[in-house]
C-alpha cells in the first residue's frame, strides 16, 4: 500500500504543479494538447538519457559520480529540449509563456518517470519519503531547467535581431545545465533535504518570473498590434489587455445580464483576439517569407474564428462588452477631472497655477524693489 501511494504521489503531484502554473497563462496561448505532448516527450527523453548514461558507465569512460555531476545535466537538458525546438519552430507557436510552460511540461514528464524508477528501487519504508522529497526538489529542478531553455528559445523567436536571440539561447542552455549540475553535485555530496527543496523552489520561482514577464510583454504587444485592421474596437482591445481582471469587471455582470450560456464564448473571443495581437507582433520578427505566410494564414483563421464567435454571442451582448470597457475609460477621465477640480489645479484658478502666478508676481516685485 505504501509503495502504491508513493508512486501515485510521484506521478500526480508534479503534473499538478504544471497545471497550477498554466493558470498564469491568462491569454491561454499555450495549448493544452501540446503541453500533454511535452509530458510524453519528456518521458521519452528520460528513457533516452538512461540508455546513454548506462552506456557511458559500462564503457568505463566516466565513473557514475562523474556522470551524475557533469554528463547527466548536459545530456538530459539537451534531450528534454528536443521537443521544445520542434514546437518553437512551428508557425502556431507564440512567445515566452508558451516556451516556459512547454519546457516545464517536458521537465515534469522526465521527472515523473525518473520518480517511479527511484521509488520502485528503494526500500518500501523509504518509498513515501523519497517520493515526497523528489517531488519538491529534483522534479522542480528538471522542470525549471527545461523551462528556462523553452523561454530562451521563445525569446529568440520573438527577436528581430536573431544574433541577440542566439545569445539568449546559448545563455538559456548554459544556465539550465549549470543549475542542474549544481543541484546534482549537492545531492550527490549528501546535502540537507531542506537545501535541496529550497533549490527546487528557486527553480520554480524562476519559471514563474519568466511567465509573468512574458505576460506583461504580451499585453503590450496586444495593445500595440490589435486594432481596426482586424476589426477589433478599442474597447475590445482594452478588454483583452486587461484580461486578468476580466472576471470581476466583465464576466460577472455579463453573466448576470445574459446568463452563463454565452460566457465561454466571450472568454474564447478574448483569447482569440489576444493571440491575434501576439501573432501580428511576431510577424515583425519572422524573416522567412514562407513562415510569414504561415503566420498570416493563422491570423486569418483567428479572424474568422473571432467573427464566428461574435455572431454566436450576438449584437446586444457584444455591445455590452464594449460598453463596459468604454465606461471604464470614461469613468477614469471623470475621476481625473474631478480630482483636478478638487485640487484647484484647473483653469479656474487655484492649485499649482495660482501658486506659480504668485511666485512670478513676487519675483517681479523683488526686481522692482531691490
Amino acid at each position: 500500500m505504501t509503495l502504491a501511494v508513493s508512486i501515485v504521489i510521484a506521478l500526480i503531484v508534479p503534473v499538478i504543479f504544471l497545471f497550477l502554473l498554466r493558470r498564469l497563462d491568462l491569454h491561454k496561448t499555450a495549448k493544452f494538447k501540446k503541453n500533454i505532448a511535452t509530458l510524453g516527450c519528456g518521458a521519452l527523453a528520460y528513457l533516452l538519457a538512461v540508455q546513454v548514461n548506462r552506456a557511458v558507465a559500462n564503457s568505463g569512460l566516466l565513473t557514475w559520480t562523474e556522470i551524475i555531476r557533469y554528463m547527466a545535466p548536459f545530456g538530459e537538458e539537451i534531450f528534454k529540449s528536443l521537443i521544445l525546438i520542434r514546437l518553437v519552430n512551428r508557425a502556431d507557436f507564440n512567445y515566452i509563456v508558451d516556451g516556459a510552460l512547454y519546457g516545464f511540461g517536458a521537465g515534469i514528464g522526465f521527472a515523473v518517470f525518473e520518480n517511479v524508477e527511484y521509488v520502485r528501487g528503494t526500500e518500501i519504508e523509504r518509498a513515501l519519503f523519497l517520493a515526497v522529497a523528489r517531488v519538491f526538489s529534483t522534479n522542480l529542478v528538471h522542470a525549471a531547467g527545461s523551462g528556462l531553455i523553452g523561454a530562451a528559445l521563445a525569446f529568440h523567436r520573438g527577436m528581430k535581431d536573431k544574433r541577440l536571440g542566439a545569445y539568449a539561447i546559448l545563455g538559456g542552455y548554459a544556465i539550465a545545465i549549470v543549475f542542474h549540475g549544481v543541484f546534482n553535485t549537492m545531492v550527490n555530496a549528501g546535502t540537507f533535504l531542506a537545501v535541496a527543496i529550497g533549490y527546487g523552489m528557486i527553480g520554480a520561482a524562476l519559471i514563474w518570473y519568466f511567465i509573468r514577464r512574458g505576460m506583461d510583454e504580451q499585453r503590450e504587444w496586444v495593445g500595440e498590434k490589435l486594432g481596426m485592421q482586424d476589426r477589433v474596437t478599442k474597447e475590445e482591445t482594452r478588454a483583452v489587455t486587461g484580461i486578468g481582471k476580466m472576471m470581476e469587471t466583465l464576466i460577472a455582470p455579463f453573466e448576470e445580464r445574459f446568463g452563463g450560456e454565452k460566457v465561454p464564448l466571450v472568454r474564447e473571443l478574448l483569447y482569440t483576439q489576444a493571440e491575434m495581437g501576439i501573432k501580428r507582433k511576431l510577424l515583425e520578427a519572422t524573416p522567412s517569407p514562407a513562415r510569414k505566410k504561415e503566420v498570416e494564414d493563422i491570423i486569418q483563421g483567428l479572424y474568422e474564428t473571432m467573427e464566428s464567435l461574435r455572431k454566436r454571442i450576438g449584437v446586444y451582448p457584444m455591445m455590452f462588452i464594449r460598453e463596459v470597457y468604454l465606461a471604464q475609460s470614461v469613468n477614469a477621465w471623470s475621476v481625473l477631472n474631478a480630482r483636478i477640480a478638487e485640487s484647484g489645479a484647473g483653469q479656474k484658478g487655484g492649485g499649482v497655477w495660482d501658486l506659480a502666478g504668485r511666485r512670478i508676481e513676487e519675483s517681479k516685485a523683488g526686481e522692482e524693489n531691490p
Side-chain angles (χ1 to χ4, degrees):
M1 182 64 178
T2 301
L3 181 60
V5 171
S6 302
I7 290 176
V8 169
I9 290 173
L11 286 171
I12 301 300
V13 175
V15 178
I16 291 174
F17 289 160
L18 171 62
F19 284 96
L20 288 175
L21 203 61
R22 280 182 57 86
R23 293 173 65 87
L24 295 175
D25 180 15
L26 301 180
H27 290 151
K28 304 302 178 191
T29 55
K31 307 307 179 187
F32 178 79
K33 290 182 179 179
K34 288 187 174 66
N35 241 156
I36 296 299
T38 61
L39 287 170
C41 290
L44 292 175
Y46 169 73
L47 297 176
L48 179 59
V50 167
Q51 297 304 315
V52 172
N53 291 342
R54 285 176 180 170
V56 172
N58 292 335
S59 70
L61 293 173
L62 296 173
T63 66
W64 192 246
T65 297
E66 290 171 334
I67 291 172
I68 290 173
R69 293 187 177 188
Y70 310 120
M71 178 184 160
F74 180 85
E76 290 172 5
E77 295 303 335
I78 296 294
F79 295 148
K80 287 186 292 181
S81 72
L82 295 178
I83 179 61
L84 305 179
I85 294 171
R86 167 63 179 161
L87 290 174
V88 169
N89 282 290
R90 288 174 56 95
D92 58 358
F93 183 85
N94 289 293
Y95 195 47
I96 287 176
V97 176
D98 292 30
L101 286 173
Y102 293 155
F104 199 89
I108 290 296
F110 187 104
V112 294
F113 265 69
E114 190 178 55
N115 284 349
V116 173
E117 290 295 316
Y118 272 85
V119 169
R120 289 177 60 189
T122 193
E123 299 86 357
I124 293 180
E125 295 77 14
R126 294 187 64 249
L128 184 59
F129 171 80
L130 181 63
V132 173
R134 286 186 59 83
V135 160
F136 289 98
S137 58
T138 309
N139 290 194
L140 293 178
V141 170
H142 275 301
S146 49
L148 288 170
I149 292 172
L153 290 168
F155 183 78
H156 174 270
R157 170 70 182 271
M159 288 293 295
K160 291 181 182 179
D161 185 348
K162 295 304 180 185
R163 184 172 62 177
L164 180 61
Y167 291 145
I169 291 176
L170 291 175
Y173 272 100
I175 293 171
I177 291 168
V178 170
F179 185 78
H180 190 160
V182 169
F183 177 81
N184 280 11
T185 300
M186 289 193 308
V187 172
N188 185 250
T191 190
F192 291 110
L193 176 61
V195 175
I197 291 175
Y199 198 86
M201 293 297 180
I202 290 172
L206 281 173
I207 301 305
W208 173 86
Y209 171 78
F210 277 110
I211 291 175
R212 291 296 298 269
R213 285 295 301 270
M215 278 301 308
D216 289 342
E217 194 164 356
Q218 286 179 185
R219 285 192 192 96
E220 293 178 6
W221 287 8
V222 170
E224 175 188 344
K225 291 297 179 181
L226 197 62
M228 294 312 296
Q229 64 178 331
D230 296 311
R231 295 187 65 238
V232 179
T233 67
K234 291 181 180 179
E235 291 72 40
E236 288 174 323
T237 301
R238 193 177 298 116
V240 175
T241 54
I243 206 166
K245 299 179 180 178
M246 182 177 61
M247 283 296 294
E248 61 186 75
T249 58
L250 174 60
I251 294 300
F254 182 93
E255 186 172 5
E256 183 179 345
R257 179 169 296 191
F258 299 104
E261 182 181 347
K262 294 182 184 291
V263 168
L265 299 178
V266 174
R267 293 181 191 274
E268 189 177 352
L269 173 68
L270 297 179
Y271 297 148
T272 300
Q273 291 176 334
E275 190 166 358
M276 286 174 65
I278 294 167
K279 285 287 192 295
R280 288 230 174 262
K281 184 68 175 181
L282 287 173
L283 274 176
E284 298 177 358
T286 305
S288 166
R291 178 53 55 83
K292 275 191 174 182
K293 179 64 168 58
E294 290 181 55
V295 176
E296 287 169 351
D297 289 344
I298 291 173
I299 292 173
Q300 180 61 31
L302 291 169
Y303 172 80
E304 292 170 1
T305 299
M306 178 187 71
E307 289 297 292
S308 173
L309 288 168
R310 281 173 168 169
K311 291 177 182 177
R312 292 168 65 189
I313 292 170
V315 175
Y316 292 116
M318 283 303 306
M319 288 176 63
F320 176 83
I321 292 170
R322 292 163 183 155
E323 283 296 323
V324 166
Y325 282 89
L326 178 61
Q328 286 185 351
S329 179
V330 171
N331 288 340
W333 284 110
S334 298
V335 170
L336 180 60
N337 288 331
R339 289 182 178 175
I340 290 173
E342 288 172 5
S343 66
Q347 294 181 1
K348 293 182 179 180
V352 294
W353 301 114
D354 279 0
L355 178 61
R358 287 197 300 271
R359 292 285 173 84
I360 291 171
E361 292 298 327
E362 290 170 2
S363 176
K364 287 181 178 179
E367 291 175 357
E368 293 173 357
N369 302 296

